[in-house]
Amino acid sequence: MPPLIAVAAAVGGIAVARWAYKTARRINQELEEVREAMLAEPRPADIPTLRRDPVTGAYRPAKG
């Protein structure tokens, strides 16, 4: 009986390790997708500041 318990524990340990490995890879993939999406977004310095046009009153990108 004790060898059967040892084999069952080993198989259970392998199953848990495999599950943890797959979960870690999935989470890392999701994090990498979020990082890439954040890098693809324009930075605040790249977005032009809007200034009010005194003649028309409309907001337009600042010049220069």
Side-chain angles (χ1 to χ4, degrees):
M1 187 72 167
L4 180 61
I5 294 172
V7 170
V11 170
I14 290 171
V16 169
R18 185 171 183 232
W19 171 80
Y21 176 73
K22 283 185 171 185
T23 302
R25 286 193 58 165
R26 180 182 54 83
I27 291 171
N28 283 333
Q29 179 64 31
E30 291 174 6
L31 289 173
E32 188 62 31
E33 290 172 2
V34 170
R35 280 188 207 110
E36 289 174 0
M38 287 177 62
L39 291 176
E41 292 178 5
R43 295 186 187 126
D46 298 339
I47 300 172
T49 304
L50 298 178
R51 305 270 185 218
R52 187 170 181 175
D53 185 356
V55 177
T56 64
Y59 286 89
R60 300 175 189 260
K63 295 178 183 174

